């Protein structure tokens, strides 16, 4: 019985204390996770919601950098129209926190797309995403995605 109470107490403390113990990396991970679903669903609004108003995106799908949240949202709207089916799988993710208000995520990803004609294509990419806590909210301030050779 004593062992049961100890396990129950530990479970309750862990359940309620985990959010308090969560650091910047865990906070960003919770925000970043739903973005994959928004990408797959083609929801540019939800996918771009995490970007700061003055964020910068550098994507290998565009020859120029995209500046500002509205331009980033428009970019993804067009990309999702060009590739009605898309998904990505993240490989070897690494996240590092710098203080309590800056997180850098690096990862490789395999992006699979199918264009309007039904032609599939797969891209091996690497990227980094810089998250900054601005006015108490985690936002992407810079993201870079490039194709691997």
């Amino acid at each position: 019985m004593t062992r049961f109470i100890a396990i129950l107490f530990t479970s309750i403390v862990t359940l309620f204390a985990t959010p308090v113990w969560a650091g910047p990396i865990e906070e960003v991970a919770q925000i970043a996770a739903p973005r994959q679903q928004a990408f797959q669903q083609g929801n540019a609004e939800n996918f771009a919601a995490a970007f700061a108003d003055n964020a910068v995106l550098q994507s290998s799908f565009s020859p120029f950098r995209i500046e500002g949240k509205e331009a980033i949202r428009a970019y993804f709207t067009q990309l999702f129209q060009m590739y009605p089916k898309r998904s990505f799988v993240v490989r070897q993710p690494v996240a590092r926190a710098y203080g309590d208000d800056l997180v850098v995520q690096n990862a490789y990803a395999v992006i699979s797309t199918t264009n309007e004609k039904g032609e599939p294509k797969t891209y091996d990419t690497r990227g980094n995403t810089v998250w900054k806590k601005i006015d108490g909210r985690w936002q992407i301030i810079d993201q870079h995605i490039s194709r691997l050779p």
Side-chain angles (χ1 to χ4, degrees), residues 40-59:
Q40 291 174 327
Q41 291 173 343
N43 188 332
E45 182 73 29
N46 286 354
F47 190 74
F51 284 92
D53 290 340
N54 62 348
V56 174
L57 170 67
Q58 299 169 62
S59 171

Side-chain angles (χ1 to χ4, degrees), residues 22-36:
I25 292 172
E26 292 81 9
E27 291 174 11
V28 165
Q30 286 181 339
I31 297 165
R35 294 182 74 236
Q36 183 171 6

Side-chain angles (χ1 to χ4, degrees), residues 22-116:
I25 292 172
E26 292 81 9
E27 291 174 11
V28 165
Q30 286 181 339
I31 297 165
R35 294 182 74 236
Q36 183 171 6
Q37 183 177 4
F39 182 86
Q40 291 174 327
Q41 291 173 343
N43 188 332
E45 182 73 29
N46 286 354
F47 190 74
F51 284 92
D53 290 340
N54 62 348
V56 174
L57 170 67
Q58 299 169 62
S59 171
S60 59
F61 287 95
S62 172
F64 305 104
R65 83 178 158 262
I66 301 129
E67 298 183 23
K69 186 175 192 168
E70 292 307 315
I72 292 169
R73 184 185 347 261
Y75 166 77
F76 281 111
T77 298
Q78 182 180 16
L79 187 75
F80 294 165
Q81 288 171 352
M82 290 171 34
Y83 300 101
K85 292 183 183 176
R86 78 214 70 70
S87 66
F88 68 89
V89 177
V90 176
R91 304 273 191 241
Q92 297 179 308
V94 175
R96 293 178 308 280
Y98 298 93
D100 292 333
D101 64 349
L102 187 70
V103 172
V104 178
Q105 294 176 317
N106 299 96
Y108 296 94
V110 178
I111 301 174
S112 300
T113 62
T114 302
N115 66 17
E116 298 160 319

